[in-house]
């Protein structure tokens, strides 16, 4: 049995054959949505970040574009919410 697409690591994906990749997508019920969010832009909704909004609409993977881990800024978060956060790449 093949892992679902969202449960795979990069090495799993690199080792997949065509049939295994198709089975992995089918195991995810054909639904894997990615959304790109830019944290330094104003949010679409007042006090909800664009990443939170995309996740609420069903995004499985969030790409944080223009995100600086040394000086994190995400508009829509209350001031100080990112302090002490540990970011792993």
């Amino acid at each position: 049995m093949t892992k679902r697409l969202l449960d795979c690591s990069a090495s799993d994906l690199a080792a997949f054959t065509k049939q295994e990749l198709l089975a992995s997508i089918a195991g995810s019920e054909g639904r894997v949505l990615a959304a790109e969010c830019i944290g330094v832009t104003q949010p679409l909704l007042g006090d909800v970040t664009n990443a939170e909004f995309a996740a609420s609409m069903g995004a499985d993977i969030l790409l944080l574009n223009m995100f600086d881990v040394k000086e994190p800024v995400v508009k829509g978060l209350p001031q100080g919410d990112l302090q002490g956060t540990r970011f792993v790449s």
Side-chain angles (χ1 to χ4, degrees):
M1 176 149 187
T2 307
K3 289 183 182 179
R4 291 177 350 140
L5 193 64
L6 293 175
D7 296 333
C8 295
S9 64
S11 59
D12 292 333
L13 292 174
F16 275 172
T17 64
K18 177 183 175 182
Q19 292 303 325
E20 289 171 328
L21 181 59
L22 292 174
S24 179
I25 293 170
S28 300
E29 299 170 0
R31 181 189 167 277
V32 178
L33 297 174
E36 178 181 6
C37 300
I38 301 173
V40 295
T41 60
Q42 288 296 85
L44 296 170
L45 301 173
D47 58 350
V48 176
T49 67
N50 288 337
E52 291 172 315
F53 179 63
S56 73
M57 294 293 122
D60 300 304
I61 300 169
L62 294 172
L63 170 70
L64 300 177
N65 196 352
M66 299 175 60
F67 186 78
D68 184 0
V69 294
K70 293 182 181 178
E71 292 184 37
V73 173
V74 176
K75 301 281 183 164
L77 278 180
Q79 193 71 343
D81 271 5
L82 291 174
Q83 292 179 356
T85 303
R86 181 174 166 230
F87 297 101
V88 179
S89 58

